[in-house]
């Protein structure tokens, strides 16, 4: 299980932990809240609440959950390209 470490900077200071974690980890605030509620986040080596405010220099230690393996497999389907340029592609696919 990997552990992520973040140091709160001036731009995240005085924010709620869930908002600050979302900003530094690149996740949604609701995902950050779930990790906090599951005791996967510690601030300065202490347990925390999502509503707690962080200060500049605070150390966040995060243990994200393991990703579940997907059993989805790609399916080969016929696609017809109607138009394509550097920025856009138009595809006709079977319904």
């Amino acid at each position: 299980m990997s552990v992520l470490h973040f140091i709160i900077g001036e731009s995240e200071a005085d924010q709620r932990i869930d908002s600050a974690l979302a900003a530094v980890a690149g996740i949604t605030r609701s995902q950050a809240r779930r990790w906090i509620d599951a005791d996967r986040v510690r601030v300065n080596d202490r347990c925390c609440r999502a509503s707690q405010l962080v200060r500049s220099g605070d150390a966040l230690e995060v243990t994200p959950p393991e990703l579940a393996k997907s059993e989805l497999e790609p399916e080969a389907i016929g696609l017809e390209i109607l138009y394509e340029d550097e920025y856009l592609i138009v595809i006709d696919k079977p319904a």
Side-chain angles (χ1 to χ4, degrees):
M1 195 174 287
S2 64
V3 177
L4 306 175
H5 299 275
F6 301 101
I7 301 296
I8 297 300
E10 289 294 326
S11 60
E12 294 86 24
D14 300 321
Q15 291 185 23
R16 292 168 45 111
I17 289 177
D18 54 356
S19 296
L21 176 59
V24 297
I27 59 174
T28 64
R29 193 173 65 81
S30 61
Q31 181 67 55
R33 174 73 187 243
R34 285 192 293 273
W35 290 0
I36 293 165
D37 290 345
D39 295 325
R40 295 183 168 279
V41 179
R42 297 179 66 79
V43 177
N44 299 325
D45 207 28
R46 293 190 166 149
C47 295
C48 61
R49 297 179 324 274
S51 61
Q52 183 178 330
L53 299 180
V54 292
R55 296 183 307 246
S56 180
D58 281 350
L60 299 184
E61 183 178 297
V62 183
T63 308
E66 296 293 326
L67 295 177
K69 298 239 182 216
S70 174
E71 296 183 19
L72 299 177
E73 294 291 327
E75 181 180 331
I77 58 173
L79 299 175
E80 181 183 351
I81 298 175
L82 302 177
Y83 175 81
E84 180 178 6
D85 68 17
E86 185 178 359
Y87 304 103
L88 178 71
I89 186 167
V90 179
I91 298 175
D92 180 29
K93 69 172 191 71

